[in-house]
Amino acid sequence: MSDGLVVVDKPAGWSSHDVVARSRRLYGTRKVGHAGTLDPMATGVLVLGVGRGTKLLTFLVGADKAYTATIRLGQATITDDAEGEVTATGEVADIDRSALETAVSRLTGDIQQVPSAVSAIKVKGERSYARVRAGEDVDLPARAVTVSRFDLLDVREADTQGPDGSLAVLDVDVEVEVSSGTYVRALARDLGADLGSHGHLTALRRSRVGGLTLAHSHTLDALTALRDGGAEPVDLPMTPLAEAARAALAHREVTAEQARSLGFGQRIPSAVPGREEPVAAFAPDGALVAVLDESRPTARAHVVFAPASS
């Protein structure tokens, strides 16, 4: 069995679990996991770990992410996206690009965001979405997130009109780059509220997780066609461990002696003491040795990939 990461371009209508289940059959192993879910309506980058690649997933869950999205202003839904029923409507006739740019600027940078109530966040041991579906009113606390980029691409009138023939909804295409834990559908909701109306997400495509992009991705149809054409699991596309770690994480080179020490579970001096992000350590031959914690003067291994050699 090969070890590494597979970046799947997730199709709409599939849950992340569905993609994992299909990939287990394609790659011939139960040892497949993902680095953060995508809602069924969303498409784009879903990072899977295969074999020992699953050990890298922990460090990708917290990576920043990039998306393209379409926000519909003038309607609120129970889920803050197109999957839920419309719960309220608002005016959009007076919303122009200038007002949008001002509102977007207020949602850029370090902000406090209330997650969508229909989310996987646990409330007293139960998923928030389960409580909402059971009829409960769920109020989640705001949390700190970072929206490093929030760009307007296109603003257009949608086909829908109000009963009096007035403009009922406005569709806004955006690109965003956000920290882990940010809900883009909550950005859609909050953009509508900031403009004195309502908003929800009608389309979402993830274009990047950390350093892994759509350029690294494969569609399930393409992978399935390879298997149907006679390819063995080991021959299917996969980003090897070392290449994946270089693309996704901060990294450093270690000496052969340091690589042996890490293999024995020993600490080595930190290259940049105090940095909080995980650091991939590579041996002189390019092999991935470990992922390190360098928050202190001496680095310890979060996980070791290469065994110690004598």
Side-chain angles (χ1 to χ4, degrees):
M1 180 182 70
S2 298
D3 303 302
L5 298 184
V6 180
V7 181
V8 172
D9 186 349
K10 189 187 86 66
W14 286 61
S15 71
S16 299
H17 178 75
D18 292 338
V19 175
V20 168
R22 171 64 66 86
S23 299
R24 284 171 175 165
R25 292 194 295 272
L26 290 171
Y27 284 87
T29 176
R30 294 286 302 169
K31 201 168 184 181
V32 178
H34 64 73
T37 61
L38 272 178
D39 291 336
M41 68 165 274
T43 66
V45 172
L46 182 66
V47 181
L48 305 181
V50 179
R52 290 190 302 157
T54 56
K55 294 183 179 181
L56 279 179
L57 298 180
T58 299
F59 310 106
L60 294 174
V61 169
D64 63 327
K65 299 169 179 67
Y67 299 86
T68 57
T70 299
I71 297 169
R72 174 156 291 183
L73 299 176
Q75 294 176 337
T77 72
I78 192 170
T79 56
D80 296 327
D81 64 20
E83 298 284 287
E85 65 270 21
V86 175
T87 57
T89 59
E91 295 293 328
V92 297
D94 295 331
I95 297 175
D96 58 17
R97 192 174 186 95
S98 176
L100 276 166
E101 289 173 347
T102 300
V104 161
S105 70
R106 285 193 285 263
L107 290 170
T108 304
D110 297 328
I111 64 172
Q112 292 289 317
Q113 183 185 73
V114 176
S116 297
V118 182
S119 68
I121 294 172
K122 286 190 175 181
V123 180
K124 296 181 179 178
E126 188 175 6
R127 300 292 185 186
S128 179
Y129 63 74
R131 291 180 174 271
V132 171
R133 289 169 183 167
E136 292 186 38
D137 290 327
V138 177
D139 292 316
L140 297 174
R143 56 184 181 178
V145 299
T146 300
V147 181
S148 54
R149 186 165 69 91
F150 196 160
D151 292 343
L152 292 175
L153 300 181
D154 185 42
V155 183
R156 60 189 180 280
E157 298 180 4
D159 293 335
T160 306
Q161 288 187 330
D164 60 354
S166 63
L167 176 63
V169 295
L170 199 64
D171 284 345
V172 182
D173 295 334
V174 301
E175 286 184 347
V176 297
E177 293 184 359
V178 298
S179 62
S180 177
T182 305
Y183 283 84
V184 182
R185 52 196 165 111
L187 287 178
R189 175 201 66 203
D190 294 344
L191 181 63
D194 190 276
L195 290 161
S197 184
H198 298 287
H200 71 278
L201 206 63
T202 62
L204 182 66
R205 183 164 176 76
R206 189 155 69 189
S207 55
R208 181 176 62 79
V209 173
L212 299 170
T213 71
L214 285 167
H216 298 93
S217 71
H218 309 275
T219 65
L220 284 176
D221 284 347
L223 295 174
T224 301
L226 287 172
R227 280 305 308 272
D228 290 346
E232 293 297 319
V234 70
D235 296 323
L236 292 184
M238 183 182 301
T239 303
L241 280 175
E243 183 180 338
R246 283 191 184 277
L249 303 174
H251 51 84
R252 62 175 286 190
E253 311 302 317
V254 298
T255 65
E257 182 179 353
Q258 289 173 326
R260 283 193 295 272
S261 295
L262 290 170
F264 283 118
Q266 299 169 355
R267 293 177 179 246
I268 65 172
S270 293
V272 184
R275 58 177 163 182
E276 295 297 326
E277 71 267 36
V279 181
F282 294 93
D285 63 359
L288 176 64
V289 178
V291 177
L292 304 179
D293 173 358
E294 288 199 337
S295 59
R296 297 183 178 183
T298 56
R300 67 176 183 85
H302 287 297
V303 60
V304 175
F305 289 90
S309 56
S310 56

